[in-house]
């Protein structure tokens, strides 16, 4: 599905200014998992930052989240420009009280776990990234099962075709 990709990026949007603030924390070493000695106690800087910041960033009772996913691919197919875009928008589930992020990640994990338990990945071993493992029919099955759980994807295809 993603053969010969030359460039791929991933972006996560949190809130205005998030990236700049997270970059400062990283640059200062405060996101390191490597323990350091603090007055005779070994502690990972990230564990301290997490403990200090969590009360300020945790979801409150009336907060609602939204998960947006977009993949855009452009290139040449059969000698003509070709573009595809896949979008997914998911919202907090008011009925069950599930956050969107929990729905999207947990449903995906459960579906892939069932696929693995059912032997759908054949002889695959070791560390294999999802984009290499979930291709073709496996990918379509994942999307179909997510849709059954209320997490739907839409696809937009732009093709330039030869005029006759």
């Amino acid at each position: 599905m993603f053969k010969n990709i030359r460039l791929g990026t991933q972006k996560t949007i949190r809130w205005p200014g998030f990236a700049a603030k997270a970059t400062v924390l990283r640059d200062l070493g405060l996101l390191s998992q490597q323990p350091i000695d603090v007055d005779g106690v070994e502690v990972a800087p990230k564990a301290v930052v997490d403990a200090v910041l969590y009360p300020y960033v945790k979801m409150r009772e009336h907060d609602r989240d939204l998960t947006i996913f977009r993949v855009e691919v452009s290139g040449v197919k059969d000698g003509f420009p070709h573009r595809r875009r896949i979008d997914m928008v998911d919202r907090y589930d008011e009925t069950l009280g599930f956050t969107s992020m929990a729905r999207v990640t947990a449903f995906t994990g459960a579906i892939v776990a069932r696929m693995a338990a059912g032997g759908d990945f054949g002889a695959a071993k070791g560390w294999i990234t999802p984009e290499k493992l979930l291709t073709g029919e496996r990918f379509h099955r994942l999307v179909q099962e997510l849709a059954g759980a209320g997490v739907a994807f839409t696809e937009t295809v732009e093709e330039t075709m030869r005029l006759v």
Side-chain angles (χ1 to χ4, degrees):
M1 177 175 219
F2 296 110
K3 289 183 180 179
N4 303 316
I5 291 179
R6 290 185 220 162
L7 173 66
T9 62
Q10 180 270 332
K11 295 177 176 48
T12 301
I13 301 171
R14 302 288 184 187
W15 58 81
F18 173 84
K21 290 176 175 82
T23 299
V24 169
L25 293 174
R26 185 198 66 208
D27 290 349
L28 291 172
L30 294 172
L31 299 181
S32 173
Q33 299 279 11
Q34 189 70 13
I36 60 171
D37 182 278
V38 178
D39 296 330
V41 177
E42 292 288 312
V43 61
K46 185 175 183 314
V48 174
V49 170
D50 288 349
V52 170
L53 293 182
Y54 183 71
Y56 298 98
V57 299
K58 71 179 178 180
M59 285 186 70
R60 307 277 188 241
E61 184 177 335
H62 298 291
D63 288 344
R64 300 296 179 256
D65 71 334
L66 170 73
T67 305
I68 302 170
F69 171 89
R70 172 175 278 178
V71 175
E72 292 183 348
V73 179
S74 62
V76 176
K77 181 179 179 185
D78 300 326
F80 295 95
H82 186 84
R83 294 173 49 97
R84 286 181 182 241
R85 184 178 76 227
I86 297 175
D87 293 299
M88 183 273 307
V89 177
D90 188 71
R91 291 176 168 74
Y92 183 91
D93 184 327
E94 295 287 345
T95 304
L96 298 175
F98 289 165
T99 65
S100 172
M101 187 56 71
R103 289 169 38 81
V104 171
T105 57
F107 293 165
T108 300
I111 293 164
V112 172
R114 278 198 312 271
M115 292 168 79
D120 291 354
F121 301 128
K125 293 181 181 177
W127 181 261
I128 303 173
T129 59
E131 63 271 13
K132 291 181 180 172
L133 189 63
L134 295 166
T135 60
E137 183 52 41
R138 293 179 192 138
F139 174 76
H140 293 295
R141 178 176 164 198
L142 172 64
V143 170
Q144 184 178 20
E145 289 196 34
L146 282 168
V151 179
F153 292 78
T154 58
E155 182 177 16
T156 304
V157 178
E158 297 175 22
E159 293 180 322
T160 303
M161 301 175 67
R162 188 179 318 257
L163 296 174
V164 180

